[in-house]
Amino acid sequence: MEKTFYITTPIYYPSDKLHIGHSYTTVAADSLARYMRLRGYDCRFLTGTDEHGQKIERVAAENGKPPKEYVDGIVEWIKELWSALDIEYDDFIRTTDRKHMECVQKIFRRLYEQGDIYKGKYEGLYCAPCETFFTERQLKDGKCPDCGRAVEPVSEEAYFFRLSKYQGAIIKHIEENPEFIQPQSRQNEMLNNFLRPGLEDLCVSRTSFKWGVPVDFDPGHVVYVWIDALSNYVTALNYLTEEDALFKKYWPADIHLVGKEIVRFHAIIWPALLMALGLPLPKQVFGHGWLIIDGGKMSKSKGNVIDPRPLAERYGIDAVRYFLMREVPFGQDGNFTHEALLNRINADLANDLGNLLSRAVGMIDKYFGGVLPSEQESGEFDGELIKTAEGAVSAVEDFMGRLLFSDALTEIWAFIRRANKYVDETRPWVLAKSPEKSARLAGVLYNLAESLRIIAVLVSPFMTRCPSEIRRQIGASAPALAEWGSVEKFGALPRDVRAAKGEPIFPRLDIAEELKRYQDAPAEAPETPGKPEISLDDFSKIELKIGEVLACEKVEGTDKLLKSQIKIGDEVRTIVSGIAKSYSPEEMLGKKVTVVTNLKPVKLRGILSQGMLLAAEGADGGPSLLTPDRGAGSGAVIS
Ligand code: MSP
């Protein structure tokens, strides 16, 4: 039976600002998938997009589009990004796919029916941009610990998943399966920081927004983020459908590749959900480090994101992919600089690899008219070269098995450098001067061509373009010569090598010149968190007036809303506002407030609210009403 391998990336939040950091995860997954295919596995590589939630709902509205229409455009953009980096996924799941949504509903219902999901009340602090709930303890200076923005107190009916029930089983699984969470440091972090201190049940539905998978047995609730997002790994395989052959074939996943900040969800929540569903757990969750910039995380709000596309266009896809996998040991954080990229291109790609190819092909061409004679002699230095080649192959196998991409590439480059040294040691240009040494010269050039062929195969999981060009130039285009089996022993290349000269595969760059492009380039304007610019005309459509609170009471059935009677000039209006947690009705009496008076009336809890009170975000994170500075009277126009 064919060996299978199922690898996933996280599903990405739809944003047209995905950057080289996001590409890091996908390039790693793609490289591993290519490697597994090369090793004869039936490999399935899944990626996709995580499209629901309040944030998308809001951003779509800001862009004047229904959420689905908004995400459709972005998903196309993301697919183009992956294609610009030669990412070859087998499946792309969208959480708005019907099959996904139906399966999430089935999962939710099943967990509810078996008692793993129950209805309760959620009270907490919510950060809308991060779509995350926090406890008071988790806040930093009263703000969201992740983005530093204000959080809002929320209290609502919600469904909960009995995460706490699975604490012991997860700890046991991790202890019995040391490979489950990698690298080791992340395993310790999960056990010591989260699992051993104790797990709380998890809020898995919301009523405060609509853009999500509806809970089919309780309208008004939508499935909240993690059940929707995490289950993509099985819904993509048609889990819980009649046509679940893919699920049977590929589940459990061999590896979930994720960035370090979401290991927790994959190593705790996801296993608990799978246990509840009676499904086997993935074999491994690997949490890689971040690509950072000037010591900090790349983020669109800081305006320091690097777009991989112009880099791939200018230096080639191979250069970008090579850099990403080589520069930073997978698992650790690493700084991105243009200088480091350019140095890698010149030193490793142009000097080491590019030179080896042009030297070998150039000499086969020059000394033998492009075709090596069959009479070939071995000699000094061959043994060491062959030993290095075979050693590199087994080292790559070992490193790739542990996702040590950078170490695998370091090993391949040690072999490339050894081959360059072999040229200096055997000195073909000297051999060429003596006709009686022709067989030795042919032997030397054969060894170089064979080394290059092996190198082409070894780098092919990482680099998608140059391997076929290397093989073309050394006359090794036959598909069998690109197979892994052909590199385990030196010498698979037929002796009568037919070389075809070509352009240098990695032209040398003038680094100082190139760097100017980035120094001169204006930094991308930071994306100010907020709404799109509007014209004065737009602004003048809003009518703002000062009002005075004549009466105020709590709205029944909620602890969030106050109903106020507000005098605005000659008229009195009823306005409902979500300020009950910060203001008591007594405190409101007589207050001068700022009112949006031409807002279309809306019904809140059955009360027609005829306007809106303006409030700023107060120091405690709650609303702070705007009142006029100097005695402006009721009805005064604000302009
Ligand atoms: N939607 C969630 C994942 C749900 S999985 C069930 C999410 N999406 S994301 O778009 O924010 O991030 C996707 C992946 O990109 C994550 O693994 C994240 O770690 C990775 N990266 C984002 N920025 C990164 C860097 N600067 N460096 C390396 N990886 C980074 O999280």
Side-chain angles (χ1 to χ4, degrees):
M1 212 171 67
E2 212 172 3
K3 302 168 289 183
T4 60
F5 194 84
Y6 182 35
I7 174 172
T8 67
T9 67
I11 44 173
Y12 294 80
Y13 292 126
S15 152
D16 60 1
K17 286 279 189 312
L18 290 195
H19 50 67
I20 200 162
H22 298 104
S23 313
Y24 185 61
T25 314
T26 16
V27 168
D30 184 67
S31 300
L32 185 60
R34 285 172 190 267
Y35 173 73
M36 295 313 291
R37 288 186 202 116
L38 202 53
R39 298 303 308 275
Y41 282 75
D42 171 342
C43 176
R44 189 167 183 86
F45 166 21
L46 171 74
T47 189
T49 39
D50 187 359
E51 304 180 13
H52 290 129
Q54 196 168 13
K55 188 173 170 189
I56 295 292
E57 188 175 71
R58 203 188 54 226
V59 177
E62 279 168 16
N63 281 274
K65 290 189 179 160
K68 180 64 166 55
E69 195 184 308
Y70 171 72
V71 289
D72 281 350
I74 299 215
V75 168
E76 277 321 299
W77 182 94
I78 292 177
K79 286 184 173 171
E80 280 162 25
L81 173 67
W82 298 152
S83 124
L85 293 171
D86 281 350
I87 306 290
E88 264 179 19
Y89 46 81
D90 298 283
D91 194 7
F92 191 103
I93 180 101
R94 299 182 54 181
T95 52
T96 50
D97 288 343
R98 214 175 79 187
K99 79 168 185 190
H100 172 82
M101 295 182 55
E102 284 174 359
C103 186
V104 167
Q105 288 181 322
K106 285 187 201 161
I107 290 174
F108 201 95
R109 178 186 281 270
R110 176 180 284 199
L111 296 179
Y112 178 69
E113 284 171 357
Q114 72 189 36
D116 272 303
I117 284 181
Y118 61 92
K119 202 169 192 174
K121 192 157 193 190
Y122 186 81
E123 304 218 355
L125 299 155
Y126 184 65
C127 175
C130 298
E131 292 185 356
T132 311
F133 288 102
F134 296 102
T135 58
E136 198 86 47
R137 221 162 20 99
Q138 291 170 314
L139 300 184
K140 218 167 126 198
D141 303 325
K143 302 264 160 108
C144 168
D146 291 343
C147 73
R149 283 181 261 213
V151 291
E152 29 176 308
V154 285
S155 161
E156 60 185 44
E157 195 181 61
Y159 286 92
F160 287 83
F161 170 62
R162 291 191 198 280
L163 185 60
S164 55
K165 174 176 153 190
Y166 294 94
Q167 173 179 348
I170 299 170
I171 294 179
K172 183 160 175 275
H173 184 82
I174 294 175
E175 285 171 348
E176 286 172 1
N177 298 276
E179 294 300 306
F180 179 56
I181 306 175
Q182 282 297 315
Q184 176 74 34
S185 56
R186 311 235 187 269
Q187 190 181 124
N188 301 340
E189 190 189 330
M190 290 304 122
L191 285 170
N192 299 334
N193 299 3
F194 301 106
L195 282 157
R196 291 196 178 116
L199 297 178
E200 282 174 18
D201 289 351
L202 185 76
C203 176
V204 289
S205 81
R206 299 298 314 271
T207 51
S208 52
F209 62 91
K210 296 257 158 307
W211 180 236
V213 179
V215 174
D216 55 1
F217 55 87
D218 195 348
H221 284 262
V222 293
V223 178
Y224 170 64
V225 64
W226 288 106
I227 290 195
D228 178 12
L230 288 161
S231 59
N232 88 86
Y233 303 129
V234 291
T235 63
L237 299 176
N238 302 332
Y239 171 56
L240 294 182
T241 68
E242 306 256 293
E243 279 102 43
D244 63 352
L246 285 174
F247 178 75
K248 290 197 177 112
K249 183 170 179 188
Y250 292 106
W251 192 258
D254 291 271
I255 189 148
H256 290 316
L257 262 195
V258 300
K260 62 179 185 177
E261 83 285 14
I262 53 173
V263 170
R264 184 152 68 99
F265 306 107
H266 287 81
I268 299 177
I269 300 175
W270 184 221
L273 286 170
L274 289 167
M275 284 176 182
L277 292 167
L279 294 178
L281 305 195
K283 293 179 198 147
Q284 186 167 97
V285 172
F286 192 102
H288 64 72
W290 284 340
L291 262 199
I292 50 183
I293 233 177
D294 305 325
K297 201 179 177 200
M298 251 176 243
S299 91
K300 57 183 172 177
S301 54
K302 288 192 212 152
N304 65 355
V305 297
I306 303 284
D307 182 352
R309 262 189 291 196
L311 298 176
E313 271 158 28
R314 184 152 183 90
Y315 309 116
I317 296 175
D318 282 351
V320 173
R321 290 178 57 118
Y322 172 76
F323 175 78
L324 287 177
M325 293 295 95
R326 173 70 195 268
E327 186 68 6
V328 186
F330 207 57
Q332 297 172 22
D333 287 349
N335 213 29
F336 173 89
T337 65
H338 287 102
E339 196 169 0
L341 168 68
L342 297 170
N343 283 334
R344 283 278 175 208
I345 295 175
N346 264 8
D348 300 4
L349 301 181
N351 275 6
D352 294 339
L353 179 55
N355 254 350
L356 181 65
L357 179 66
S358 37
R359 283 166 109 185
V361 173
M363 291 189 287
I364 297 172
D365 192 57
K366 182 166 170 197
Y367 302 136
F368 294 106
V371 186
L372 289 187
S374 53
E375 203 186 320
Q376 296 176 6
E377 211 177 280
S378 48
E380 204 188 351
F381 309 113
D382 293 7
E384 212 191 307
L385 179 73
I386 294 168
K387 214 171 99 207
T388 314
E390 292 175 353
V393 175
S394 54
V396 168
E397 288 175 358
D398 172 37
F399 287 132
M400 291 302 279
R402 293 185 283 147
L403 268 62
L404 297 172
F405 302 123
S406 176
D407 296 84
L409 285 166
T410 305
E411 201 67 39
I412 301 169
W413 253 257
F415 172 36
I416 295 173
R417 292 189 183 124
R418 183 67 196 82
N420 271 319
K421 188 168 160 217
Y422 177 81
V423 178
D424 302 336
E425 290 165 340
T426 52
R427 299 197 292 168
W429 50 93
V430 175
L431 296 174
K433 287 191 183 134
S434 320
E436 72 280 10
K437 294 198 176 137
S438 164
R440 176 58 187 144
L441 176 61
V444 164
L445 295 181
Y446 171 82
N447 287 339
L448 288 175
E450 172 64 342
S451 296
L452 277 157
R453 182 189 72 83
I454 294 173
I455 290 159
V457 178
L458 294 181
V459 300
S460 63
F462 303 98
M463 296 155 94
T464 53
R465 303 295 172 105
C466 73
S468 56
E469 177 57 14
I470 296 174
R471 292 197 296 115
R472 192 193 68 77
Q473 291 197 25
I474 55 168
S477 292
L481 295 174
E483 286 170 9
W484 196 263
S486 75
V487 300
E488 280 167 342
K489 211 167 155 24
F490 196 91
L493 182 67
R495 289 268 155 189
D496 57 341
V497 172
R498 277 158 209 278
K501 264 177 95 164
E503 292 297 309
I505 47 173
F506 296 104
R508 264 190 80 80
L509 302 169
D510 180 335
I511 293 189
E513 260 319 294
E514 289 300 316
L515 277 177
K516 279 193 203 147
R517 300 172 61 85
Y518 307 107
Q519 281 144 10
D520 297 346
E524 198 183 329
E527 193 187 77
T528 41
K531 303 185 173 158
E533 207 169 66
I534 57 166
S535 67
L536 196 58
D537 234 25
D538 291 332
F539 181 70
S540 65
K541 290 184 190 146
I542 305 172
E543 187 180 68
L544 297 166
K545 288 187 183 168
I546 297 296
E548 185 179 346
V549 183
L550 297 183
C552 181
E553 62 186 87
K554 284 203 161 178
V555 174
E556 256 179 49
T558 160
D559 52 2
K560 278 201 276 191
L561 302 179
L562 289 185
K563 176 176 122 183
S564 312
Q565 301 300 326
I566 302 193
K567 180 172 179 304
I568 305 161
D570 295 336
E571 58 171 334
V572 176
R573 293 195 187 189
T574 302
I575 296 183
V576 178
S577 351
I579 53 174
K581 291 221 164 143
S582 304
Y583 292 88
S584 66
E586 298 71 41
E587 196 182 345
M588 289 293 287
L589 286 182
K591 222 181 229 323
K592 294 270 177 57
V593 286
T594 311
V595 188
V596 184
T597 46
N598 64 338
L599 199 65
K600 197 167 169 188
V602 283
K603 259 200 173 164
L604 292 168
R605 300 260 166 179
I607 307 163
L608 191 68
S609 179
Q610 305 157 296
M612 182 168 86
L613 303 193
L614 291 187
E617 189 181 289
D620 60 353
S624 159
L625 286 170
L626 299 188
T627 57
D629 194 17
R630 300 166 193 210
S634 147
V637 173
I638 303 172
S639 56

